[in-house]
Amino acid sequence: MGKGGNLSEGVVKKILLSYTYVAIWIFLSFTVIVYNKYILDRKLYNWPYPISLTIIHMAFCSSLAYLLVRVFKVVEPVTMTMDLYCKSVVPIGLLYAFSLWLSNSAYIYLSVSFIQMLKALMPVAVYSIGVMLKKDTFKSDTMGNMVSISIGVAIAAYGEAKFDTWGVMLQLGAVAFEATRLVMIQILLTSKGITFNPITSLYYVAPCCLVFLFIPWIFVEYPLLKDTSSFHFDWVIFGTNSFCAFALNLAVFLLVGKTSALTMNVAGVVKDWLLIAFSWSVIKDTVTPVNLVGYGLAFLGVAYYNHAKLQALKANEAQKKASQAADEEAGRLLEEREGENGAKKNESQG
C-alpha cells in the first residue's frame, strides 16, 4: 500500500488507542463508584464510614505515589518550595478532602443513579465559581446553558423516588468543593507553570488530604469504630477497593494525556448513562420517567457545553496557526529584505 494506506492505518491505530483509554477510564470509574456504594451502603456491605474509607484510599495512594516517585523514580518530582506548597497545594488538599468526604457520604443516603444526575451540575459550579473568582468571563449564552442544566437536574430531583434532603446536601456540597478545587488548580498552580500528572498529584496532595481528613475522623468516626468490636479489617475488600481508586488516577493521566480533558468530559456523560442503567437493572434502584426527562434535559445542556468548549478550542488552535503563519511570513519577508539590502550594498561598494 502507498502513503495513503499507511496514513489511514496510523489514524485507525490512534482512534483505537483513544477508545481504549476511554474504555479503561469508564471501567475503572464505574468500578470505583459501584465498589464505594457497595462498601458504604447499609443494605450491602454495611460499613457506613465515609471518612475512614477515604483515609484508607489516601494512605494507599500516598504510599504508592511515594514508592513510584522516590524509590522507583518512575516520574520526577516537581520543583517546589515550602512556601509554594503551603500557599498552593495545602488549600487544594483541603478542598479535595472535603470533596471526597462529602461525595462518599452521599452514597449512604442516595442511589447511584441519582448521584450521577446531581453530578451533572459540575459544569455549572465550575463556571459560576470561575466567574466569581474572575478566572472566567461572564457570557449570557453560557449562563443560559448553565440555567438549563440546573433546571434539568431540578426536574430529576423532583422525580426522585427516594429523595433524601441530607444526601442531596452532601452531594451538592461535594460538587461545590470539587468545582472550587478545579478552579483553584488553575489559579494556584497552572498560572505559575506548575503541572501535576496523577502520580505527582497524589505524591503532593494525598498526604495533605490525609492530614485534613484525620482531624474530623478523630471526632466523628473514631469513637464509633472503637465501639464496634465486631469489625475486622478486610484486607481483600479494602485493598482491592484502594487499588481501583489508585488505578483510576492513572487512567485519568492516560486519558487526558493521550487525548484531552474534553474527551474525558464526553466519556463522563457516557459513563453516567451506563451507571444509571446499571443502577436500575442490577442494583434495582428506582428510576422514574421524570428522573430521565430531567436528566435528559441536563444531558443536552452538558453536551452543548462540551460542544461549545470544542469549538472554542478549535478557534484557539486556528488563531495560533494563523499567528504562527503570519510570524513565519514576516520572518521570510525580513530575510528577503535583508538579502536585497545586502545585495544593494555590495553593488554600491563594487
Side-chain angles (χ1 to χ4, degrees):
M1 291 180 76
K3 289 183 179 178
N6 293 333
L7 179 64
S8 63
E9 286 175 12
V11 170
V12 169
K13 187 178 178 181
K14 189 176 180 181
I15 291 169
L16 287 174
L17 279 174
S18 296
Y19 276 114
T20 302
Y21 298 137
V22 167
I24 290 170
W25 178 80
I26 287 177
F27 171 76
L28 287 170
S29 183
F30 187 101
T31 302
V32 168
I33 289 169
V34 174
Y35 211 158
N36 286 353
K37 172 67 175 176
Y38 167 75
I39 291 171
L40 295 165
D41 197 300
R42 297 181 191 278
K43 296 177 183 176
L44 299 171
Y45 189 76
N46 189 27
W47 200 68
Y49 303 104
I51 309 176
S52 302
L53 182 63
T54 312
I55 282 177
I56 293 169
H57 287 174
M58 289 298 103
F60 184 88
C61 290
S62 299
S63 303
L64 268 186
Y66 180 83
L67 289 172
L68 291 172
V69 173
R70 290 297 180 186
V71 179
F72 299 109
K73 300 186 185 300
V74 175
V75 295
E76 288 293 321
V78 177
T79 304
M80 185 178 296
T81 62
M82 182 55 70
D83 181 63
L84 182 61
Y85 182 85
C86 292
K87 289 181 179 177
S88 299
V89 176
V90 170
I92 290 167
L94 175 63
L95 292 166
Y96 195 36
F98 275 101
S99 171
L100 292 173
W101 172 15
L102 297 183
S103 62
N104 281 333
S105 298
Y107 286 109
I108 299 172
Y109 305 96
L110 302 176
S111 67
V112 170
S113 57
F114 187 43
I115 285 174
Q116 301 315 121
M117 293 175 189
L118 292 174
K119 283 182 181 179
L121 287 170
M122 185 61 73
V124 180
V126 171
Y127 179 71
S128 301
I129 293 167
V131 170
M132 282 191 292
L133 297 178
K134 298 181 179 178
K135 187 64 185 174
D136 226 325
T137 54
F138 178 85
K139 295 178 183 176
S140 55
D141 55 340
T142 305
M143 186 51 73
N145 184 24
M146 298 299 107
V147 170
S148 70
I149 295 172
S150 303
I151 291 171
V153 173
I155 293 170
Y158 178 76
E160 175 60 19
K162 297 177 181 177
F163 186 90
D164 186 284
T165 304
W166 179 238
V168 171
M169 288 173 65
L170 288 170
Q171 185 54 47
L172 292 180
V175 168
F177 279 115
E178 179 62 11
T180 307
R181 184 181 76 90
L182 294 173
V183 175
M184 293 304 284
I185 286 173
Q186 288 183 304
I187 294 172
L188 298 176
L189 294 176
T190 310
S191 60
K192 296 174 184 175
I194 298 172
T195 55
F196 287 150
N197 63 47
I199 297 175
T200 52
S201 175
L202 289 173
Y203 176 75
Y204 288 105
V205 177
C208 179
C209 183
L210 189 60
V211 171
F212 283 120
L213 286 166
F214 191 73
I215 297 167
W217 179 78
I218 287 290
F219 298 102
V220 178
E221 291 185 4
Y222 175 69
L224 298 173
L225 285 166
K226 191 170 64 172
D227 294 338
T228 311
S229 57
S230 60
F231 174 72
H232 298 285
F233 191 84
D234 192 328
W235 289 96
V236 174
I237 289 289
F238 293 104
T240 52
N241 178 249
S242 298
F243 183 79
C244 287
F246 182 79
L248 177 59
N249 280 279
L250 298 186
V252 170
F253 173 60
L254 270 177
L255 184 59
V256 176
K258 302 296 182 180
T259 58
S260 68
L262 188 62
T263 303
M264 192 175 82
N265 287 342
V266 175
V269 174
V270 176
K271 178 206 71 180
D272 290 345
W273 280 111
L274 289 173
L275 277 166
I276 290 169
F278 179 85
S279 177
W280 171 72
S281 61
V282 179
I283 304 178
K284 302 301 179 184
D285 286 334
T286 304
V287 180
T288 67
V290 179
N291 274 148
L292 294 176
V293 169
Y295 184 66
L297 179 60
F299 162 74
L300 291 175
V302 173
Y304 179 78
Y305 174 73
N306 288 331
H307 173 73
K309 285 184 71 174
L310 179 60
Q311 296 305 312
L313 285 172
K314 285 182 177 178
N316 286 337
E317 285 297 318
Q319 191 174 1
K320 283 181 184 177
K321 286 179 181 178
S323 179
Q324 287 173 357
D327 289 343
E328 288 172 6
E329 180 66 17
R332 188 180 63 79
L333 290 172
L334 185 61
E335 285 176 6
E336 287 179 358
R337 191 170 297 171
E338 286 176 352
E340 289 173 2
N341 290 338
K344 285 179 183 178
K345 189 176 182 180
N346 291 333
E347 285 174 9
S348 63
Q349 287 176 349

